[in-house]
Amino acid sequence: MEEIRAMTVLPAQREEITLTTEDGLTLVGELALPPDGRPPVATLITLHPLPTHGGFMDSHVYRKAAWRLPYLADIAVLRFNTRGTASPRGTSEGEFGEGVTEGADVRAAVAFAVERGLPRRWFVGWSFGTELTLMHGADQDVEGAILLSPPLHRAKDADLERWAATGRPVTALVPELDDFLQPEEARERFAPLTQLNLVAVEGAKHLWVGEKYVKLVLDAIVDTVAPGAAPLPTAVPHEVLA
């Protein structure tokens, strides 16, 4: 067996994609599907951290999700750069919109997933991506949301109340040592989102640096969207990586 390490890339069916927004922009992204024609059991629509501070579709937790989850858990992973964001995949058209105009980007990603028939769609937002999820996701065709390191800088009580009204599940992983919002304050700030499952993660920081925390996050995501498939394997047969 071969241990899964930080840079391990497991087999998947990977496709470079583009999304078209309602205001006419082209966004670049990637769809990673289970290999060998296996149907996905669930779909992650990932919304990345703040692009003005280095966030993009390749932010490490999402990159590793796309490298691992299609093979290990039969989960589809949709990643894309929001407007004006660049990565090795390319640069999405448009300009950073402070989380407001990015609502069209969120809707374009969901529309793409629906059109492709990707099942059991979930938002996974990280930092700024949690703001996009909360501000623009409540009326979208998804099963629920997972929030990583939510800062609650832009999302307001009204956004939380809209999500609460849907009754759909929302899980927030809040690092104990987060720079912006730590668990005790998060419990107070998230009070309007009555169905929230808030998970305080001991020792973790905003950026989830280190394999220990990446594995914890990926296990939590999988446990939410594909119950019974976590914890994920930590090793694979040698021939998988050949």
Side-chain angles (χ1 to χ4, degrees), residues 4 10-11 35 38 68-75 229 232-236:
I4 297 172
L10 297 175
R38 303 196 310 248
R68 301 178 193 179
L69 298 189
Y71 180 83
L72 295 177
D74 287 338
I75 292 172
L232 295 166
T234 58
V236 294

Side-chain angles (χ1 to χ4, degrees), residues 20 43-44 104 113 118 156 178 206 216 241:
T20 303
T43 304
L44 308 182
L118 298 174
K156 308 301 182 187
D178 197 285
H206 190 76
L216 186 153
L241 302 179

Side-chain angles (χ1 to χ4, degrees), residues 194-205:
T194 50
Q195 74 268 40
L196 179 72
N197 174 31
L198 192 153
V199 180
V201 183
E202 182 178 356
K205 297 182 180 181

Side-chain angles (χ1 to χ4, degrees), residues 95-176:
E95 298 179 350
F96 176 64
E98 295 290 346
V100 177
T101 53
E102 283 86 357
D105 305 352
V106 174
R107 291 186 287 274
V110 175
F112 176 91
V114 170
E115 183 178 337
R116 289 289 294 264
L118 298 174
R120 302 194 58 242
R121 297 170 292 277
W122 288 76
F123 285 124
V124 181
W126 179 7
S127 192
F128 175 69
T130 69
E131 309 277 39
L132 300 185
T133 300
L134 293 169
M135 293 166 65
H136 306 295
D139 63 349
Q140 293 301 294
D141 189 1
V142 297
E143 297 211 353
I146 300 164
L147 311 176
L148 310 177
S149 307
L152 283 183
H153 285 165
R154 294 172 171 82
K156 308 301 182 187
D157 282 358
D159 301 312
L160 304 182
E161 290 164 1
R162 277 197 300 276
W163 266 101
T166 71
R168 287 178 292 184
V170 181
T171 294
L173 302 184
V174 181
E176 177 191 28

Side-chain angles (χ1 to χ4, degrees), residues 178-216:
D178 197 285
D179 299 317
F180 304 108
L181 186 67
Q182 296 182 0
E184 185 174 354
E185 182 184 359
R187 289 188 182 93
E188 298 176 5
R189 297 278 308 281
F190 271 107
L193 184 48
T194 50
Q195 74 268 40
L196 179 72
N197 174 31
L198 192 153
V199 180
V201 183
E202 182 178 356
K205 297 182 180 181
H206 190 76
L207 296 179
W208 305 100
V209 173
E211 269 298 294
K212 171 184 175 180
Y213 294 109
V214 171
K215 289 176 180 177
L216 186 153

